[in-house]
């Protein structure tokens, strides 16, 4: 850890940061990973600044690994946020003062942020695999249901809105699911994922027919025991076929 | 005009720039707008830095208007370029020295670029409407056929590659054409545009059938006189319907 922010920013970009909207899927709901800032009780997305010797994509991977314990996850840029007032402190100046109380007087000396532009990344992760881990200026990292997300610091509510739109756009051209579901899942679980992301219901038979037409799913000789109705078959994605379909594109229109 | 770069960067972001890949369509070819730098005979995309009091989207619009004479054109972010070595001078240091020869000794004093991240914008414009206009450190601005684009400064060849991929991705979900074609056009001209962007040929009847199914085109009671074969009908986009289809999405799969 650095002893001052100045020390950190001697080897990091000041005017550019990145923020990750990390989506997980749990109990039929989309969840998003948030951090609570020390001393000010405000929540934000996971993010950070880019070191001078790393690319922005590498920085995003580093930060995501630090917050989740995972590497090699689905992580893509979706939009760069550059409004003039997006990074004003919240409430103005108060954040700075409260952080000096927490981190010590002089912690911010020598740092002038004129403005910060932030690159928005969208991450899809398997909920059960994540170990939410706060960073040095936050004291809690946990999942929130999308419906319960509080008023966040900076423009992070807008970031989540745009990330969700980007995900909805993507699901129309690319298979989605290998990153969000456990290895084996039932067709109703996959359907519920699509319905949750798109915010609408689909006919069971049409959904199954369309998804099977992509030729990316393999039905296993196993059933989910203990399901509410008759035991449904388990499926899994065939990784190579999934990746080919992701690269070539599919058309999800129902 | 500023008397030094330092004066300019007192009111602009240093570590963030933007670059626009401006596509036009002319004589059955995709064209891209490039600028030749004074004194060094290297070419680049139009771009620039963001003023402290303007959003990045406003900056992109400002720069595009300055280079083309157009406003209110199709302009969207597609990727932010942040590799470590993307902004090294080309060839290293030589650019700086040559520019000092052109702009005067000391022009760069007080400016330290540790690194610059650039936001890539994709613009679609009507070829005939553009008045290519150089900026203060370039002496020529003109269209290049995509196939003839030279080795560009910085990572701008990669930017064009990615912009074209983004356009191809977009054409699968959104109608494309209102920005690239003149008001009235023939069905073969529209088909040629799609074929050029996607780099493949389509069956004439299937193409017409699919495009008409979007309900965004109006066939006029006019024909193109003097065409090679029988005079083809002219069409135009119905703006409100086109915009609705762009927002709701269409599926172009042939």
């Amino acid at each position: 850890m650095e002893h001052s922010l100045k020390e950190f920013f001697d080897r990091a970009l000041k005017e550019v940061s990145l923020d990750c909207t990390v989506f997980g899927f749990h109990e039929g709901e989309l969840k998003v990973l948030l951090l609570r800032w020390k001393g000010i009780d405000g929540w934000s997305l996971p993010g950070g600044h880019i070191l001078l010797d790393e690319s922005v994509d590498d920085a995003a991977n580093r930060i995501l690994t630090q917050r989740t314990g995972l590497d090699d996850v689905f992580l893509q840029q979706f939009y760069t946020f550059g409004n003039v007032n997006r990074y004003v402190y919240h409430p103005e100046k108060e954040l700075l003062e409260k952080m000096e109380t927490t981190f010590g007087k002089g912690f911010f000396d020598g740092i002038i942020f004129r403005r910060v532009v932030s690159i928005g990344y969208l991450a899809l992760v398997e909920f059960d695999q994540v170990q939410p881990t706060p960073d040095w200026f936050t004291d809690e990292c946990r999942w929130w249901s999308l419906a319960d997300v509080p008023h966040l610091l900076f423009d992070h509510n807008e970031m989540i809105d745009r990330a969700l739109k980007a995900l909805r756009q993507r699901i129309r051209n690319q298979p989605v699911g290998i990153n969000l579901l456990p290895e084996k899942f039932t067709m109703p679980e996959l359907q519920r994922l699509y319905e949750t992301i798109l915010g609408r219901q689909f006919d069971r038979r049409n959904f199954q027919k369309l998804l099977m037409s992509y030729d990316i799913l393999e039905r296993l000789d196993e059933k989910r025991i203990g399901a509410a109705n008759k035991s449904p078959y388990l499926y899994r994605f065939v990784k190579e076929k999934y990746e080919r379909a992701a690269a070539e594109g599919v058309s999800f229109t129902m």
Side-chain angles (χ1 to χ4, degrees), chain A residues 206-221:
Chain A
N206 288 345
F207 180 84
Q208 172 152 0
K209 201 171 141 197
L210 182 62
L211 269 284
M212 290 311 286
S213 77
Y214 298 160
D215 188 30
I216 55 175
L217 282 165
E218 172 182 36
R219 197 181 83 172
L220 304 172
D221 278 337

Side-chain angles (χ1 to χ4, degrees), chain A residues 79-212:
Chain A
Y79 189 74
T80 294
F81 295 81
N83 281 341
V84 176
N85 293 318
R86 62 165 298 275
Y87 207 74
V88 291
Y89 293 115
H90 169 91
E92 196 132 19
K93 285 196 177 170
E94 210 180 305
L95 175 63
L96 211 73
E97 282 165 23
K98 282 185 176 172
M99 287 187 80
E100 280 211 330
T101 310
T102 307
F103 295 103
K105 197 88 188 142
F107 193 77
F108 294 98
D109 285 2
I111 299 297
I112 302 162
F113 280 115
R114 299 193 301 177
R115 203 172 131 196
V116 179
V117 168
S118 190
I119 305 167
Y121 279 83
L122 164 64
L124 305 179
V125 299
E126 198 178 324
F127 183 88
D128 287 329
Q129 302 293 310
V130 173
Q131 303 205 318
T133 311
D135 55 23
W136 60 269
F137 57 100
T138 59
D139 54 15
E140 193 179 350
C141 179
R142 73 167 173 89
W143 290 106
W144 286 70
S145 292
L146 262 192
D148 301 334
V149 168
H151 182 69
L152 302 176
L153 292 169
F154 317 121
D155 53 358
H156 290 194
N157 292 91
E158 186 196 340
M159 285 184 177
I160 295 177
D161 288 347
R162 276 201 185 252
L164 187 58
K165 270 189 200 143
L167 177 57
R168 285 179 179 158
Q169 188 69 31
R170 209 144 285 176
I171 210 175
R172 283 155 62 178
N173 302 302
Q174 284 179 28
V176 166
I178 205 167
N179 320 96
L180 287 162
L181 292 171
E183 198 204 340
K184 300 172 183 180
F185 49 86
T186 66
M187 193 55 76
E189 284 162 0
L190 182 60
Q191 180 171 342
R192 182 80 186 114
L193 172 64
Y194 271 71
E195 289 178 339
T196 303
I197 290 172
L198 290 166
R200 38 185 289 241
Q201 311 256 295
F202 303 114
D203 174 75
R204 187 176 62 80
R205 253 172 275 198
N206 288 345
F207 180 84
Q208 172 152 0
K209 201 171 141 197
L210 182 62
L211 269 284
M212 290 311 286

Side-chain angles (χ1 to χ4, degrees), chain A residues 2 4-11 107-111:
Chain A
E2 278 76 17
S4 71
L5 273 186
K6 182 165 183 327
E7 221 172 283
F8 175 73
F9 282 110
D10 282 346
R11 53 188 192 91
F107 193 77
F108 294 98
D109 285 2
I111 299 297

